[in-house]
């Protein structure tokens, strides 16, 4: 009695592998784009949360709370006991939110660090528009919840751009300040991660 052997022929195997290769070639760019979008969303959410937290804490405490560039955040998220905001131009290495009771734009003894966010500068760039970068890289909220610059003038315009250098399109997100303290999130495209406009 003969037994039937089941299996696939070499031709059937090659056809299956070819179909899988075609499907993988179609899916790979979409997957890369999805990963880029997810990474960008995560970093954007961190920046947006910092600005929103600063405004909320300023209102809650009825005190001055500052969001500013600070590049000295350690990999474990810690910062020195005292520090000053970084006023240099270019991409931010991180940001801090702190209670600035004496209005000197620095974290001093007795003032509270509320949030510190270190950026993965190997993947992302966080850039400030001239309204923010030209005025000490700071967004100041007082007890009324209105955004101001470091000198105390109303900050009705200004943007922070979170960007991944890519030609995929929609590779940037802009967090804009409007109406004195409201934040607006918009998608942007900037293959070279250019500084945003106000």
């Amino acid at each position: 009695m003969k037994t039937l052997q089941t299996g696939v022929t070499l031709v059937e195997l090659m056809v299956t592998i070819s179909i899988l290769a075609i499907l993988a070639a179609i899916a790979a760019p979409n997957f890369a784009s999805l990963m880029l979008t997810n990474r960008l969303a995560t970093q954007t959410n961190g920046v947006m949360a910092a600005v929103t937290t600063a405004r909320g804490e300023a209102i809650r405490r009825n005190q001055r709370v500052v969001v500013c560039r600070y590049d000295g955040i350690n990999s474990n998220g810690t910062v020195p006991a005292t520090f000053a905001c970084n006023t240099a131009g270019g991409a931010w290495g991180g940001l801090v939110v702190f209670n600035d009771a004496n209005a000197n734009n620095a974290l001093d003894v007795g003032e509270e660090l509320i949030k510190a966010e270190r950026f993965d500068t190997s993947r992302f760039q966080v850039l400030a528009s001239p309204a923010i970068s030209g005025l000490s890289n700071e967004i100041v909220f007082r007890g009324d919840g209105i955004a101001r610059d470091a000198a105390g003038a109303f900050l009705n315009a200004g943007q922070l751009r979170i960007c991944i250098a890519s030609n995929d399109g929609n590779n940037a997100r802009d967090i804009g300040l409007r109406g004195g303290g409201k934040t607006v999130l918009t998608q942007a495209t900037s293959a070279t991660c250019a500084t945003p406009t106000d």
Side-chain angles (χ1 to χ4, degrees):
M1 183 172 214
K2 273 188 172 180
T3 59
L4 294 174
Q5 292 186 349
T6 59
V8 293
T9 65
L10 183 58
V11 172
E12 291 170 332
L13 182 63
M14 293 302 290
V15 168
T16 303
I17 290 173
S18 298
I19 291 171
L20 288 174
I22 291 169
L23 291 175
I26 292 170
N30 292 335
F31 184 72
S33 179
L34 177 66
M35 291 297 293
L36 176 126
T37 301
N38 285 341
R39 288 182 185 137
L40 191 57
T42 300
Q43 193 68 71
T44 301
N45 289 342
V47 175
M48 184 74 114
V51 175
T52 304
T53 298
R55 184 172 189 237
E57 286 295 311
I59 293 168
R60 186 180 73 80
R61 297 167 187 245
N62 195 25
Q63 291 183 343
R64 176 185 168 103
V65 174
V66 173
V67 178
C68 73
R69 173 184 178 176
Y70 182 67
D71 297 338
I73 300 169
N74 298 319
S75 59
N76 62 359
T78 60
V79 297
T82 60
F83 62 81
C85 296
N86 185 339
T87 60
W92 294 20
L95 66 73
V96 289
V97 176
F98 63 95
N99 166 242
D100 188 22
N102 61 2
N104 70 344
N105 305 319
L107 180 69
D108 301 309
V109 174
E111 295 176 337
E112 181 185 354
L113 175 68
I114 298 167
K115 184 172 178 61
E117 178 89 18
R118 183 177 187 220
F119 304 133
D120 182 355
T121 54
S122 66
R123 291 184 180 172
F124 300 97
Q125 289 191 47
V126 177
L127 302 154
S129 69
I132 299 170
S133 65
L135 296 167
S136 305
N137 288 322
E138 295 175 29
I139 303 168
V140 178
F141 291 98
R142 294 186 187 165
D144 57 9
I146 295 176
R148 293 177 167 83
D149 63 25
F154 288 114
L155 191 59
N156 287 322
Q159 296 195 108
L160 292 173
R161 173 168 286 167
I162 300 89
C163 183
I164 298 176
S166 170
N167 291 320
D168 285 349
N170 288 329
N171 64 318
R173 301 292 181 269
D174 291 342
I175 299 171
L177 294 170
R178 305 289 182 267
K182 181 180 175 186
T183 53
V184 178
L185 179 63
T186 56
Q187 291 185 353
T189 301
S190 178
T192 60
C193 291
T195 299
T197 60
D198 291 326

